[in-house]
Amino acid sequence: MSQDLRRDGLPGAAATEGTADTAVARPGVDARPGTPKLVGTVWGLLILNTLGSAGAETVIPLPRSLIQLVTMGSLVAAFALALALNPRLRIHASAFLLLLTLLLVPSLISSLQLASGFGALFRCSRFALFVGTLWLLSRWWDGSETFVRHHIRIYFAVLGSVAAGAVISPGAAMPDVYGGRLVGALWPLTPPQIGQYAAVIIGLTVLLLLGRRTDKVSATVVIVPSLVLLALTHTRTATLGMLIGLALAIGSLVLTSAAARRFFTWAVVVTTVAAVGFAPLLRAWFLRGQSQEYLTSLTGRAKVWDALLAAPRTTAEKLFGMGLGDKSFGGLPIDNSWLAVYHEQGWTGVTLVAALVTILGAVALLRPPSLARACAIFLISYCAIASYTEAGLGDASPYLLHLALAASLLAAPPAATPLAKPAAPRRRIPRWAQDRRRL
C-alpha cells in the first residue's frame, strides 16, 4: 500500500507513489505495481481544467480566451498523459464511470439540437475527454489513499495562490462587488469555489489524521490556513457540507477507532460551547449582512428555479434537456445541480446522476468500517449537500472529481496474479548412462 504520510507530510511534499510504493511480495504472488508519479500530474491537470474561467477580476488582467486555452489544454494534456501511462487501456470496472459514460448520451442528443449553440458540442467533447481520462486512471483505483494525497496537495496549492493574491492585493482579493468576501486575485476564483476547496481538504486531512496517515504538524499546516480562507469566503454551503460530512464520516469510525471517539466527543463539546458563547458572532457571519427574507429565498436562487421549472418544454427537451451550457437560465446562474442537469440533460440525466450518487452511497454504507470508507462518506455527503445550492454534477467539475475520488476509495484492489511455476530443469543424463540404458 502507499507509504505513510507521516514521512512526507501533506502540502508541497514530493509524491512517493513510485516504484517504491508497492505491496510486499509474498511467495507465489506478484506484488501489485505501484502508482506512477505522473498519475498525480494527470490528476492535477484535471483539477486545473475544472477551475473554470469566470470569476473576480485579477491583479494582472487575464483574457478569458487565455484562461480557457489553459484549462482546455490541461484536459487534453491530462488525457494524452493518461493514455501514455496506460497504453494497453487497462481499466477498473466501475459502476460510477459506467453511469458517467451513459450520461454522455443525453448530453450529446440534446447538444446536437444546437439549442444552446455550438458551445454545447464543445462542452460535450470536453466532458467526453474528462470521462475518458478517468477511465484511464481507474487502473490505479485500489482503495488506497494515493489519490486523496494528490487531491489535498493540489487543492492546497490552489489555495496557496489565493492566499498569495490576498497578500499582494487585499483590495482585489476582497472586492466590494462580492460583499468583501475572499476571491482569487491571481486566478479568477469565486468565494464558493475557494470555500469548496478549503472545506474538502480540511475534511480529508482531519480524517487522515484520525487514521494516523499523517502527523499533527503536517495536518496543522493544511487545516489552519484552510480554515482561515474558508472563514474569509463566508461560504455557508461549504461550511455546512464540511461539518455534516465530517460528522457522518467520523460517525462511521466511532465503533472501531478510539481516536475517532475522542475527536467526536471533543467536537461536540467545542461546538456546544461555541454555539452558546459566540451565537451572535456566528449568526452575523452566517447572515453576511442579508435580511432573513433574502436568506429564506436562498439569496434569490428560488426565483430562478421557479422560472426554470415554469418554462415551456417539448417532450424531447424534458427527456434530454437543452444541451450542455454554462449552468445558467435567463442569464442568471441556476446554482442547483439537479435543476441544472434537468435543464441541460433532461429527466434522463437526472435519473443517471441520482443513480450515480445513490450507488456510491450504498456501496460506502455496505463496506466495513475503514479510513477509505470514511473519506468516501465525507466526499459523497459533501457533494450531496452542496448539490442543493451549487451546480456541477452533470458536467466536468470539481464535484465529479470529488465523487471520482470517492469511487477510487471504494474500489476493491485488483486480485493478485499467481506467478507461473518455473519449469523443472531437465536432468542431464551422461552419455555412458544413456548407453547402459539401451543395453
Side-chain angles (χ1 to χ4, degrees):
M1 299 298 289
S2 54
Q3 295 179 355
D4 198 323
L5 281 178
R6 286 173 288 185
R7 302 177 190 174
D8 54 31
L10 287 173
T16 58
E17 294 82 8
T19 54
D21 188 23
T22 56
V24 178
R26 293 176 293 170
V29 178
D30 276 331
R32 287 192 291 109
T35 304
K37 294 181 180 179
L38 287 177
V39 166
T41 304
V42 177
W43 197 256
L45 290 171
L46 287 178
I47 288 177
L48 177 58
N49 173 255
T50 59
L51 292 182
S53 59
E57 294 183 3
T58 55
V59 176
I60 301 176
L62 298 175
R64 188 174 181 182
S65 57
L66 174 62
I67 298 174
Q68 290 176 333
L69 180 64
V70 171
T71 54
M72 192 60 197
S74 67
L75 179 58
V76 174
F79 180 80
L81 185 55
L83 188 60
L85 293 172
N86 189 6
R88 296 186 179 180
L89 304 182
R90 294 177 178 174
I91 60 176
H92 194 293
S94 170
F96 168 79
L97 290 178
L98 177 60
L99 289 170
L100 270 190
T101 306
L102 292 176
L103 189 59
L104 285 169
V105 176
S107 304
L108 181 60
I109 292 175
S110 57
S111 298
L112 285 174
Q113 300 174 5
L114 300 180
S116 300
F118 286 98
L121 294 177
F122 176 81
R123 294 183 180 94
C124 252
S125 302
R126 173 180 176 242
F127 190 26
L129 274 179
F130 181 84
V131 175
T133 305
L134 291 179
W135 271 114
L136 293 171
L137 290 180
S138 67
R139 173 185 177 182
W140 296 283
W141 291 5
D142 56 3
S144 68
E145 296 89 25
T146 299
F147 284 90
V148 174
R149 300 185 195 183
H150 295 319
H151 214 62
I152 294 174
R153 288 170 179 157
I154 297 165
Y155 274 124
F156 187 76
V158 174
L159 293 179
S161 72
V162 174
V167 172
I168 294 172
S169 179
M174 296 183 180
D176 293 335
V177 67
Y178 281 96
R181 301 168 65 191
L182 182 65
V183 300
L186 298 181
W187 185 273
L189 297 173
T190 61
Q193 286 179 282
I194 300 171
Q196 175 197 163
Y197 307 153
V200 168
I201 68 172
I202 289 170
L204 292 176
T205 306
V206 168
L207 293 174
L208 289 182
L209 181 62
L210 293 178
R212 297 182 180 178
R213 296 298 193 274
T214 186
D215 57 74
K216 294 181 180 179
V217 175
S218 299
T220 302
V221 170
V222 173
I223 293 173
V224 173
S226 300
L227 275 174
V228 173
L229 296 181
L230 176 60
L232 292 176
T233 62
H234 287 257
T235 308
R236 296 177 290 233
T237 299
T239 304
L240 289 176
M242 179 189 71
L243 295 176
I244 297 174
L246 269 178
L248 295 175
I250 296 174
S252 71
L253 293 172
V254 164
L255 296 179
T256 58
S257 170
R261 289 192 290 271
R262 289 193 299 269
F263 184 89
F264 190 82
T265 302
W266 277 106
V268 171
V269 172
V270 171
T271 302
T272 303
V273 172
V276 174
F278 301 96
L281 183 62
L282 292 174
R283 186 174 183 276
W285 181 89
F286 192 80
L287 288 176
R288 295 194 315 229
Q290 299 170 347
S291 65
Q292 191 71 33
E293 181 182 356
Y294 193 59
L295 182 62
T296 304
S297 66
L298 296 172
T299 61
R301 291 184 177 95
K303 296 180 180 179
V304 180
W305 299 347
D306 292 340
L308 186 150
L309 293 173
R313 297 172 188 271
T314 64
T315 302
E317 289 171 348
K318 289 180 180 179
L319 286 176
F320 303 111
M322 307 290 291
L324 294 184
D326 59 358
K327 311 298 178 289
S328 67
F329 180 79
L332 297 174
I334 297 175
D335 284 341
N336 180 288
S337 286
W338 304 102
L339 291 179
V341 171
Y342 169 69
H343 178 61
E344 297 183 354
Q345 291 138 315
W347 283 115
T348 306
V350 172
T351 302
L352 290 172
V353 173
L356 182 150
V357 176
T358 302
I359 289 175
L360 277 179
V363 172
L365 292 176
L366 293 175
R367 290 292 169 86
S370 66
L371 176 61
R373 175 187 184 235
C375 290
I377 289 175
F378 168 75
L379 291 167
I380 296 167
S381 303
Y382 181 88
C383 291
I385 293 168
S387 68
Y388 186 65
T389 57
E390 297 289 337
L393 289 183
D395 200 353
S397 69
Y399 291 106
L400 282 189
L401 277 181
H402 301 332
L403 292 179
L405 177 58
S408 76
L409 290 166
L410 297 173
T417 306
L419 287 172
K421 293 183 178 180
R426 252 181 113 177
R427 188 176 177 185
R428 186 176 178 277
I429 302 176
R431 185 177 295 277
W432 61 268
Q434 295 178 14
D435 293 341
R436 180 173 293 180
R437 282 186 178 183
R438 293 192 190 100
L439 295 175

